[in-house]
Amino acid sequence: MSGRATVVARANIALAKYWGKSDEALNLPAVPSVSMTLAPMRTETTVTLEPSLDHDVFELDGARASDKESVRVSTMLAEIRAEAHDKTHARVASRNFFPTASGLASSASGFAALAAAARAAYGLPRDDRRASILARRASASAARSIFGGFVELPAGTPGDDSLAAYPLFGPDHWDLRLVVAVITEGRKDVSSRDGMGISRRTSPYYEAWVEKSPLIAARIREGLSKQDLAMLGEATEQSFTAMHALAFASSPFTLYFQPGSLAALGTVRRLRDVEGVGVYATMDAGPHVKALCRAKDVEHVAATLGQTQGVLRTIVADPGPGIELA
Ligand code: DP6
């Protein structure tokens, strides 16, 4: 039935990072990225068509969103209206069910849920590829949250707006866990979009990053396919350290690390080198450290990170499904 639809989508963590665009107008990534969809970090979005509205209305966690937050929502809705040949405006209500202050961005799950819910509300048939393209235009990492398990978003060719993510392996492929070591409460960092723009324009390492990223992504795909944690983990660490080195060397420098981040990285390394635990780190555009390990080791990894100076608390996530229509 059209007119109203509700969709749940989940956040994802990039193992191979997307950082830098090959086409800013079309929001195409310059490098391939590979992610894991995270079961507990959910966004639920309801889109309702309301003929009485003369513009779209966007409510986030029960409050009216700012104009800035609403722009990307309205842009996506306009594209869907054109495809559906329906001019009716919509009310969008989005709610995040994230473990408190997880430090994980909700924009990926939010735009994925919005794309699928809006398509359904405007009466378009379910088409996950189309939804992934729409989500990617709003925020490229959101393209991956349409699908469950382990997901790839290839690099985009400038001018080609048909780029979508696709699933590599389902959520049951491998019993991996992600432990989030929360370092700060809600401090605002340089956004991914701004940070990657500064890196592309000013970092002397940007070309090397674009050249090497496909090799790192290929190792990550192979590590996943063979369920080889050392292969996957080493390449995951290469991806995030290269991304942060590139960002740090940009002008002005973009530094996401805080003292607690360094301490948590030290814990991950000590667990691995001294105790022999298979655990590997990654970080995004913020200070939190995310540790990848097997399910059997997750309690020990979470407890040890939780006792690390500067770590406020830990959150454990497991591989989750793709979008679900209510
Ligand atoms: C570090 O998807 O937020 O999380 O496309 O400009 O909205 P835009 O960027 P965004 O960037 C995510 C960057 C990252 C790595 C990743 O998720 O691949």
Side-chain angles (χ1 to χ4, degrees):
M1 198 198 83
S2 69
R4 182 187 173 95
T6 298
V7 167
V8 172
R10 289 158 180 84
N12 69 77
I13 177 82
L15 305 172
K17 302 293 182 195
Y18 147 53
W19 195 255
K21 301 176 199 284
S22 61
D23 184 326
E24 287 200 2
L26 299 181
N27 206 38
L28 296 168
V31 297
S33 56
V34 178
S35 62
M36 177 169 113
T37 303
L38 303 173
M41 281 95 179
R42 295 177 301 126
T43 300
E44 185 183 285
T45 300
T46 299
V47 176
T48 311
L49 270 53
E50 289 192 13
S52 61
L53 291 175
D54 62 1
H55 61 281
D56 299 314
V57 174
F58 176 38
E59 287 158 12
L60 187 57
D61 290 326
R64 184 79 173 253
S66 68
D67 285 353
K68 190 168 172 251
E69 285 169 320
S70 305
V71 170
R72 282 197 244 178
V73 171
S74 291
T75 304
M76 188 194 287
L77 290 175
E79 288 177 51
I80 294 170
R81 271 195 284 275
E83 190 180 339
H85 304 292
D86 184 339
K87 291 191 163 61
T88 316
H89 286 95
R91 180 179 301 277
V92 175
S94 197
R95 204 164 267 288
N96 291 317
F97 298 90
F98 278 47
T100 322
S102 63
L104 283 164
S106 57
S107 62
S109 47
F111 286 118
L114 175 66
R119 284 183 58 84
Y122 280 94
L124 295 170
R126 176 160 177 176
D127 181 336
D128 288 357
R129 190 183 141 73
R130 293 283 311 153
S132 180
I133 292 169
L134 286 162
R136 188 264 302 153
R137 288 177 187 151
S139 189
S141 56
R144 302 185 307 239
S145 274
I146 295 291
F147 303 102
F150 301 89
V151 183
E152 172 147 11
L153 177 65
T157 308
D160 179 357
D161 201 13
S162 67
L163 185 74
Y166 52 83
L168 293 170
F169 306 99
D172 298 328
H173 170 67
W174 191 2
D175 224 5
L176 289 176
R177 294 291 180 271
L178 186 83
V179 180
V180 182
V182 177
I183 306 296
T184 47
E185 302 285 5
R187 200 181 63 81
K188 204 69 199 123
D189 296 293
V190 176
S191 73
S192 304
R193 183 159 292 193
D194 291 347
M196 68 176 77
I198 297 167
S199 293
R200 187 179 61 78
R201 287 189 299 277
T202 69
S203 181
Y205 306 132
Y206 187 74
E207 274 175 33
W209 163 253
V210 172
E211 193 189 312
K212 289 282 185 266
S213 286
L215 302 173
I216 297 175
R219 289 292 281 179
I220 286 175
R221 240 184 275 118
E222 190 181 345
L224 283 170
S225 153
K226 293 181 171 158
Q227 302 192 356
D228 181 332
L229 185 59
M231 186 189 289
L232 172 68
E234 278 162 25
T236 295
E237 290 195 341
Q238 270 171 13
S239 180
F240 105 84
T241 52
M243 175 198 127
H244 283 267
L246 160 83
F248 188 37
S250 66
S251 177
F253 68 80
T254 314
L255 179 63
Y256 292 107
F257 288 66
Q258 291 190 13
S261 320
L262 295 174
L265 290 175
T267 295
V268 168
R269 185 161 264 185
R270 202 168 49 253
L271 278 166
R272 195 161 79 221
D273 293 351
V274 180
E275 294 190 31
V277 179
V279 54
Y280 297 86
T282 186
M283 289 172 66
D284 294 294
H288 314 289
V289 171
K290 294 129 186 191
L292 192 68
C293 65
R294 293 186 185 87
K296 72 173 176 64
D297 294 322
V298 74
E299 277 175 32
H300 182 53
V301 169
T304 313
L305 276 169
Q307 286 157 12
T308 301
Q309 178 104 33
V311 175
L312 302 180
R313 80 178 81 82
T314 58
I315 294 156
V316 174
D318 55 333
I323 48 161
E324 293 168 318
L325 276 83

